[in-house]
Amino acid sequence: MKKSFLILIMTLATQNFLFAEAVSNKSYKKRIELLTYLRELEPIVKNFRGEDPEGNPSALNAAEGKEGFRLKKYLEAKRIYQEGLQYYFEGNYVASYQRFLECQLGVEKMLEELSQLYILRAEEMMKVAMERKNSNNPLDKELLDISIEYGKGSYFRADVMDAPREAPYSRRMYDPKEVHYVYNKYAIEKNMELGYRHLGLAKDARINALKVERNLEKHQKLQPSHRKFRIENYFGAVNLARDSKANAINIFKLKYPYDNYFLSNSQAKSEPVRDENGQYSEGQPVKVDGVTYDFSNNPYIRFDHRLQAMFDVRVPEDYRVDHADTRGRIYDIDSNNMVFLKYDQERKKSLNIPAKPAATTQAQ
């Protein structure tokens, strides 16, 4: 009898040990998985923080209770994840795994809304990129006009660009600032094609994530593996929407190569524009994140592909936060460091840089 009782105790102890090992393995895997998700979410929620509880634009480092609603959800997910870590290192794997599952649920809900936001913004950016940015500029063209007016067999190409002339006896019969449309036409059209292809794939990825719950039987519930699948599809939708935004940004860059003239101008003014009668209109001071100063002396200006989003006014102001986000950068931090020279007070004084204005809707 004693032997049987001893065997029973040992069997139960062995089963408990095996169960603890299984939970510890699951908890370990979920810990690594969630850390990856939270790291990837950080620049997303800091760029698109959402409004505060009063419906106003929220600052990046807002006081507790004043955060944007997306940033608040992210901070709550981090808090739950930290509790799970504490339980994990204590050896309480059951409680740890439970906290990690709660964090996973919060991440899934955040991404469901964020993926939709990214798709809508990418669609909006593509539409805006195809239209004219400045209706008062006669050289500003819609994408369809570029395809019609500067393609093979068009008037500009056949009768102007391709016609040989002897300078200086034969005068140029076109504005040289139009020539970039000829050279960039194919790249502009290709970016439109890729932008909408990426947008379609992003929508498909989000639909695939939403289908998981619809395909379950009535008695079935979403399991952690289902939620992982949904989260990864939501991230796929976000990254594909970022690709679409990057294509829209490329269209802006190709259509408006002269808009960054202010960076090399000590007065920070835009380039003077000449109308059809040959009359010049004076350039206007350009504001970057609400300030104007001699940007040519800014030590953080780079004129090649490393040019930071806040200095690239070829892209409309409302979408510069998206420009930074496509590179995984946090717009407000870059702006503080590179526009307002947060850690270079001497240069800031020499350039007469004003204090940073209050948060605007651009950061939302």
Side-chain angles (χ1 to χ4, degrees):
M1 185 69 180
K2 289 182 178 179
K3 279 187 175 181
S4 300
F5 186 68
L6 184 61
I7 291 171
L8 179 61
I9 291 174
M10 291 180 65
T11 303
L12 291 173
T14 305
Q15 287 178 349
N16 287 336
F17 175 76
L18 291 173
F19 177 75
E21 281 290 316
V23 175
S24 66
N25 288 336
K26 290 194 288 186
S27 185
Y28 171 78
K29 292 177 182 177
K30 196 60 65 178
R31 175 170 74 94
I32 303 301
E33 176 187 314
L34 288 171
L35 183 61
T36 305
Y37 295 157
L38 292 172
R39 184 178 294 123
E40 193 168 350
L41 265 173
E42 183 190 13
I44 295 174
V45 296
K46 287 186 176 179
N47 280 322
F48 302 100
R49 300 180 290 277
E51 294 81 12
D52 65 14
E54 298 175 356
N56 300 318
S58 60
L60 179 60
N61 298 313
E64 187 176 355
K66 295 288 186 180
E67 310 98 335
F69 68 89
R70 295 190 189 98
L71 185 56
K72 186 175 182 179
K73 291 178 182 177
Y74 176 73
L75 295 175
E76 177 65 15
K78 281 176 61 178
R79 184 190 64 78
I80 296 172
Y81 179 78
Q82 185 169 323
E83 287 181 5
L85 279 181
Q86 292 169 355
Y87 285 124
Y88 179 85
F89 292 125
E90 286 176 4
N92 188 348
Y93 299 118
V94 174
S96 171
Y97 188 58
Q98 184 63 37
R99 287 292 186 274
F100 288 153
L101 291 182
E102 290 178 28
C103 180
Q104 184 187 39
L105 177 60
V107 169
E108 181 197 344
K109 295 300 181 185
M110 275 191 288
L111 282 168
E112 183 177 345
E113 190 264 339
L114 280 167
S115 60
Q116 178 70 0
L117 173 71
Y118 267 66
I119 288 171
L120 291 174
R121 287 187 71 88
E123 193 167 18
E124 180 183 334
M125 286 178 68
M126 284 299 300
K127 288 179 180 178
V128 172
M130 293 171 64
E131 302 296 329
R132 299 173 65 186
K133 185 167 77 169
N134 183 2
S135 58
N136 296 323
N137 184 358
L139 291 182
D140 195 349
K141 303 288 184 180
E142 296 179 5
L143 193 147
L144 183 59
D145 291 337
I146 295 171
S147 297
I148 294 171
E149 296 177 24
Y150 303 102
K152 290 183 178 179
S154 65
Y155 171 82
F156 191 88
R157 287 283 294 268
D159 294 347
V160 181
M161 286 293 294
D162 295 340
R165 67 183 182 88
E166 185 179 357
Y169 303 106
S170 178
R171 292 290 184 178
R172 181 175 55 232
M173 303 299 291
Y174 57 91
D175 191 324
K177 288 190 175 181
E178 283 189 88
V179 177
H180 76 276
Y181 287 128
V182 176
Y183 297 141
N184 296 338
K185 186 185 82 71
Y186 174 78
I188 291 171
E189 292 172 339
K190 197 65 181 176
N191 273 282
M192 183 194 72
E193 175 190 339
L194 291 174
Y196 278 106
R197 184 179 300 170
H198 290 141
L199 185 60
L201 291 172
K203 291 178 179 179
D204 289 342
R206 189 171 189 277
I207 290 171
N208 288 337
L210 294 171
K211 279 181 178 178
V212 173
E213 195 167 9
R214 299 173 190 170
N215 293 335
L216 295 178
E217 300 293 338
K218 290 183 179 180
H219 65 279
Q220 290 181 312
K221 293 183 179 180
L222 283 173
Q223 300 299 313
S225 58
H226 295 142
R227 298 197 186 280
K228 180 181 178 183
F229 176 82
R230 294 182 79 175
I231 287 171
E232 290 176 354
N233 273 271
Y234 286 139
F235 269 126
V238 166
N239 289 323
L240 285 163
R242 276 176 167 168
D243 290 339
S244 181
K245 291 179 182 181
N247 291 124
I249 289 164
N250 287 340
I251 293 174
F252 285 122
K253 290 179 178 181
L254 292 165
K255 285 177 69 178
Y256 309 109
Y258 307 109
D259 283 10
N260 284 343
Y261 171 81
F262 77 102
L263 290 176
S264 57
N265 182 338
S266 61
Q267 295 179 319
K269 288 186 176 182
S270 60
E271 194 173 14
V273 178
R274 184 169 61 179
D275 61 21
E276 295 179 354
N277 299 321
Q279 300 296 321
Y280 277 97
S281 59
E282 188 66 23
Q284 299 299 316
V286 175
K287 286 188 175 182
V288 174
D289 210 8
V291 301
T292 298
Y293 62 88
D294 186 357
F295 296 100
S296 64
N297 289 330
N298 187 308
Y300 302 107
I301 296 288
R302 299 291 184 273
F303 290 98
D304 55 11
H305 64 280
R306 293 174 295 169
L307 183 66
Q308 294 297 320
M310 68 284 304
F311 297 121
D312 198 346
V313 302
R314 294 172 295 184
V315 180
E317 185 175 6
D318 290 341
Y319 305 123
R320 285 176 210 158
V321 62
D322 299 270
H323 189 356
D325 185 75
T326 57
R327 303 177 180 183
R329 305 289 299 183
I330 300 172
Y331 181 87
D332 276 40
I333 293 177
D334 282 353
S335 176
N336 282 337
N337 293 342
M338 299 175 187
V339 177
F340 296 94
L341 303 177
K342 182 177 180 180
Y343 299 105
D344 192 350
Q345 297 300 320
E346 292 183 5
R347 183 63 67 90
K348 183 175 182 177
K349 290 178 182 177
S350 67
L351 294 175
N352 297 317
I353 301 173
K356 183 177 181 180
T360 64
T361 54
Q362 172 186 311
Q364 303 309 312

